[in-house]
Amino acid sequence: MNKSSMNIKGTLKCEITIPSNDFKKVTIEGLNNRHTHFDGDNVTISGERSNSFVNIGLENALDRLFGLGGAVVSHIGVTNDATAVTATTTKLDPTDDDSVTLLTAQSLARVDRVVTGEATFTHVNANFAYKKIGFLTTSTDAGTGLIDVIGGGGTTPYNQAFNIDLTGATTWSATLGIEVEFKAS
């Protein structure tokens, strides 16, 4: 008997802009396909990173698929928390809600089997090192809406180092988007 399966792939897409004179003052670890572009007064760093859905996110996707309820992705969040992530993780930061910044996900649009949502974090709204980034269906890190996570250094598939620390720069912006793709496999 042939099996049919579906694969959900998530990818962080980011574009960071900082002043050129602050380039050596920032730390960025765990981005693949990283590109750096110097343009006079500014440096733009772009890259991507695969992510993984947590159990709540997978269950939410099934609920939505079969009309059993579920919530829509509405926010992207960042935290400086480095607590290990596992499939059963329910919060970006399990110990301190004050270290999480959530912004409304913009540009949620589907092209074929891919949907992307993004938000722009800055030195004004989230001035700390990012150890985890995630999609949520809630406007708070309440433990009920975490869909997927980038970072965290847990067990496979969450076990790769991740750190975006722009706090050494005077000003900066980081547009962080998560691209979710459904594929037949």
Side-chain angles (χ1 to χ4, degrees):
M1 177 196 307
N2 292 332
K3 291 183 180 181
S4 176
S5 63
M6 180 173 53
N7 180 344
I8 302 175
K9 178 185 177 195
T11 305
L12 167 69
K13 304 277 185 163
C14 72
E15 184 172 289
I16 300 164
T17 302
I18 59 173
S20 296
N21 59 347
D22 288 339
F23 179 66
K24 294 189 185 274
K25 299 176 186 175
V26 302
T27 302
I28 300 173
E29 299 172 302
L31 289 181
N32 302 321
N33 301 321
R34 184 172 158 177
H35 300 282
T36 304
H37 176 72
F38 291 87
D39 184 20
D41 293 336
N42 292 313
V43 175
T44 302
I45 303 158
S46 61
E48 59 186 43
R49 165 74 179 267
S50 294
N51 66 353
S52 294
F53 275 60
V54 292
N55 288 349
I56 293 173
L58 294 171
E59 293 160 1
N60 189 69
L62 281 171
D63 287 348
R64 299 286 295 171
L65 182 66
F66 287 93
L68 301 174
V72 298
V73 172
S74 59
H75 288 78
I76 294 177
V78 293
T79 182
N80 62 358
D81 176 71
T83 302
V85 175
T86 67
T88 60
T89 295
T90 60
K91 295 178 77 173
L92 275 177
D93 185 340
T95 61
D96 184 7
D97 291 342
D98 292 335
S99 74
V100 176
T101 297
L102 296 175
L103 298 178
T104 301
Q106 303 295 316
S107 304
L108 288 171
R110 182 178 60 80
V111 176
D112 298 323
R113 290 160 308 284
V114 178
V115 175
T116 302
E118 66 183 23
T120 300
F121 297 86
T122 69
H123 61 284
V124 175
N125 64 17
N127 194 16
F128 50 81
Y130 304 157
K131 303 292 185 178
K132 293 183 223 166
I133 299 168
F135 257 156
L136 292 94
T137 62
T138 54
S139 61
T140 63
D141 191 24
T144 58
L146 186 63
I147 296 294
D148 66 4
V149 179
I150 296 109
T155 57
T156 300
Y158 315 97
N159 61 340
Q160 298 175 0
F162 183 76
N163 181 27
I164 296 178
D165 186 351
L166 307 172
T167 58
T170 53
T171 62
W172 50 267
S173 68
T175 300
L176 307 175
I178 300 175
E179 178 182 278
V180 177
E181 178 181 15
F182 275 52
K183 295 168 56 171
S185 56

